């Protein structure tokens, strides 16, 4: 597994914030329910993302040594009025610009507390990239807009990171939400059908009793999920159903459903 370059993450954060802004500016109903996050409206989703960016900016800019309350982040509250699309779009754009500036100044190895144990700005550049990708899909769904394919290198890295997060949760919270992700002798294969061979956009995931393991590559598994890389990513994140057009499930569907149920904390 190879991480993307720090500047690549920063560029993608800017790009994804722009795509989010396009959804807001499209005239979408800000009070619409987000189908994949049904407790939120579209405006709630935008405010959640903007707050996360502002919080990250504070952590990275101040080289925080410990967790920082999100309400200490400048501008985290967002626009004071509800339903103001122009204000919301401008606030989100500023949130993205400030975090990218802080990340570039810090560099990938700059000290910055994180919940993961990887206390670097590089962790946050990667995390915010994929936070924006997945929540960007949520925003498009809420607005009834098509979600454009994610750049292949970014989408593949998002799957890598999600698998790492599942491993982390199993390790630090053994009785937590990923406890049930154990199926010894059974495995999951993810296979992107629209990428070049050099990207190696295939994953083999095993679920032994001592925790999830995974590696890139083509191997026969108990169940396989095949399709375009962006769709595979979104299905693995529960943003698309596995039987959505263009996706194909081969083998033990119940095992894939187990994964989607027990990895439901992202």
């Amino acid at each position: 597994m190879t991480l993307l370059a720090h500047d690549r993450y920063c560029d993608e954060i800017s790009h994804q914030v722009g795509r989010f802004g396009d959804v807001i500016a499209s005239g979408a109903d800000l009070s619409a329910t987000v189908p994949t996050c049904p407790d939120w409206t579209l405006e709630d989703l935008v405010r959640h993302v903007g707050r996360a960016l502002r919080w990250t900016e504070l952590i990275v800019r101040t080289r925080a040594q410990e967790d920082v309350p999100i309400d200490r982040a400048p501008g985290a509250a967002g626009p004071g009025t509800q339903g103001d699309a122009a204000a919301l779009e401008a606030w989100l754009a500023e949130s993205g610009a400030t975090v990218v500036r802080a990340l570039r100044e810090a560099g990938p190895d700059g000290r910055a507390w994180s919940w993961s144990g990887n206390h670097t700005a590089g962790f946050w550049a990667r995390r915010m990239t994929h936070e924006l990708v997945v929540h960007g899909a949520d925003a498009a769904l809420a607005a009834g807009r098509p979600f454009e394919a994610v750049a292949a290198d970014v989408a593949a890295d998002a799957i890598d990171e999600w698998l790492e997060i599942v491993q982390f949760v199993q390790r630090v919270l053994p009785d937590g939400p990923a406890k049930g992700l154990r199926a010894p002798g059974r495995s999951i294969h993810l296979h992107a059908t629209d990428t070049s061979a050099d990207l190696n956009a295939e994953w083999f995931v095993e679920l032994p009793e001592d925790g999830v393991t995974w590696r890139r590559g083509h191997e026969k598994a108990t169940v396989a999920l095949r399709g375009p890389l962006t769709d595979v990513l979104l299905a693995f994140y529960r943003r698309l159903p596995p039987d959505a057009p263009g996706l194909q499930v081969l083998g033990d569907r119940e095992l894939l459903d187990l994964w989607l149920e027990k990895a439901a904390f992202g």
Side-chain angles (χ1 to χ4, degrees):
M1 185 273 299
T2 302
L3 300 182
L4 306 183
H6 187 69
D7 282 343
R8 178 75 180 90
Y9 289 123
C10 292
D11 289 344
E12 191 64 23
I13 289 171
S14 296
H15 176 62
Q16 293 297 332
V17 168
R19 289 175 66 170
F20 232 113
D22 290 344
V23 172
I24 301 169
S26 70
D29 179 3
L30 294 174
S31 67
T33 298
V34 180
T36 43
C37 304
D39 292 337
W40 287 346
T41 65
L42 178 56
E43 179 160 354
D44 292 334
L45 174 66
V46 175
R47 288 178 180 272
H48 166 79
V49 170
R51 281 194 298 269
L53 293 171
R54 298 276 178 158
W55 179 62
T56 299
E57 186 275 340
L58 176 63
I59 289 169
V60 173
R61 173 173 50 81
T62 63
R63 308 296 193 268
Q65 304 292 305
E66 59 186 20
D67 193 5
V68 179
I70 197 167
D71 58 6
R72 291 186 188 172
T81 56
Q82 294 283 323
D84 187 335
L88 204 61
E89 181 187 2
W91 172 73
L92 183 65
E94 183 184 14
S95 302
T98 57
V99 76
V100 167
R101 183 164 56 248
L103 290 167
R104 290 194 193 279
E105 290 176 356
D109 300 321
R111 169 74 187 190
W113 171 89
S114 83
W115 48 261
S116 73
N118 175 5
H119 301 304
T120 67
F123 166 83
W124 287 112
R126 189 187 196 202
R127 180 81 288 277
M128 286 300 100
T129 294
H130 303 319
E131 176 89 351
L132 284 160
V133 165
V134 174
H135 281 323
D138 292 328
L141 287 167
R145 290 167 56 92
F147 183 67
E148 298 175 10
V150 180
D153 59 340
V154 173
D157 187 64
I159 292 176
D160 284 351
E161 191 210 29
W162 182 231
L163 289 165
E164 292 167 20
I165 289 173
V166 170
Q167 288 179 314
F168 174 81
V169 170
Q170 282 195 322
R171 185 169 65 252
V172 302
L173 298 171
D175 294 320
K179 179 180 180 180
L181 277 178
R182 289 173 168 81
R186 295 196 285 170
S187 54
I188 299 169
H189 178 57
L190 307 179
H191 185 158
T193 57
D194 62 343
T195 59
S196 60
D198 61 334
L199 185 61
N200 191 23
E202 298 189 54
W203 293 260
F204 182 75
V205 185
E206 295 180 285
L207 293 80
E209 284 294 341
D210 56 353
V212 167
T213 65
W214 65 276
R215 54 187 174 268
R216 290 277 195 104
H218 183 85
E219 300 184 47
K220 184 173 178 57
T222 309
V223 61
L225 176 65
R226 292 170 46 90
L229 178 54
T230 292
D231 293 347
V232 170
L233 165 65
L234 295 180
F236 209 48
Y237 254 102
R238 297 169 298 105
R239 266 54 188 188
L240 282 179
D243 52 3
L247 289 170
Q248 184 180 24
V249 178
L250 303 171
D252 185 354
R253 171 64 184 266
E254 289 186 0
L255 179 61
L256 181 60
D257 289 342
L258 171 72
W259 175 279
L260 298 175
E261 175 190 353
K262 300 301 182 181
F265 46 84

